[in-house]
Amino acid sequence: MAEARLRGFLAGLSVVALVSVAAVGCGPKAPEGPPIGMSDKPGLSAPMDRPLTYEFDSLDDRVVSSGAMVGKPTVIVFIQTGDLDGQAQVDYLVAMAKNDHDKVNYVLVALHPRKEIVLVEAYAKTLGVEFPVALGDGTVTGAAGPFGPMPAVPTTVILARDGRMVWKHTGIAKSDELRSHMRGL
């Protein structure tokens, strides 16, 4: 009986994911910004000279904030669950997190309202995410947000140990590219 309910839930989740993908594909055009796959600040090693302040609504009891992440390099990826590029980016992060253990903070921020928490939890579980997952809203992606404008997802941000942003990238960033920007942190 429990297996049948689980299969039903997973089938329903698959339908929701397909509808989300279709909705994203048919939605309004993203605002103009850097081309997908290009960094916002190419060639700059330190786009920001001050630590950033942020706090996100975590799915569990792990705190996702600038205060909790200080002391280690931090990689934050902003995604939407219906985005296939975001799933690929999460796969890279999951592998990196398994390799790095607790030397680096990894965080996944799903740009979904709190009412979609079940969808985000299922997404993270399906992709094997063991690091903190949080929710973010539209204020995070705007120019006034702590990380500046994010024209599309996935967007990856790398923060130094003190919380300064050292790199920001829109589109898929492979592990070797992420590691090259983490050297020396």
Side-chain angles (χ1 to χ4, degrees):
M1 183 72 175
E3 284 185 27
R5 275 195 228 151
L6 179 60
R7 275 191 233 122
F9 171 76
L10 292 177
L13 184 60
S14 296
V15 170
V16 169
L18 289 174
V19 169
S20 296
V21 169
V24 169
C26 298
K29 185 176 185 241
E32 289 298 318
I36 301 300
M38 300 297 291
S39 296
D40 289 349
K41 309 274 187 193
L44 293 180
S45 61
M48 304 212 72
D49 59 354
R50 61 177 171 69
L52 299 176
T53 302
Y54 59 90
E55 185 171 359
F56 296 107
D57 183 15
S58 179
L59 298 187
D60 56 24
D61 60 350
R62 294 178 284 186
V63 178
V64 178
S65 69
S66 50
M69 300 293 158
V70 75
K72 297 180 197 174
T74 300
V75 179
I76 304 173
V77 174
F78 298 88
I79 57 99
Q80 288 181 328
T81 58
D83 179 55
L84 296 177
D85 287 346
Q87 289 181 15
Q89 189 65 64
V90 171
D91 284 342
Y92 287 123
L93 249 60
V94 166
M96 290 176 70
K98 286 181 181 175
N99 183 56
D100 293 341
H101 305 287
D102 63 348
K103 293 182 242 174
V104 176
N105 296 315
Y106 289 95
V107 177
L108 180 64
V109 177
L111 301 175
H112 285 272
R114 184 86 179 152
K115 68 183 180 182
E116 295 176 358
I117 191 170
V118 173
L119 174 67
V120 176
E121 287 172 334
Y123 176 88
K125 183 176 181 181
T126 300
L127 294 178
V129 177
E130 296 179 4
F131 45 85
V133 179
L135 299 171
D137 60 19
T139 62
V140 172
T141 61
F147 305 99
M150 290 183 215
V153 291
T155 293
T156 303
V157 174
I158 297 178
L159 304 174
R161 293 174 190 275
D162 65 357
R164 286 178 301 106
M165 183 167 51
V166 296
W167 191 65
K168 180 173 139 182
H169 180 83
T170 299
I172 298 175
K174 294 185 177 179
S175 300
D176 57 344
E177 186 175 13
L178 293 169
R179 293 224 183 270
S180 72
H181 291 283
M182 293 168 61
R183 278 194 186 92
L185 299 180

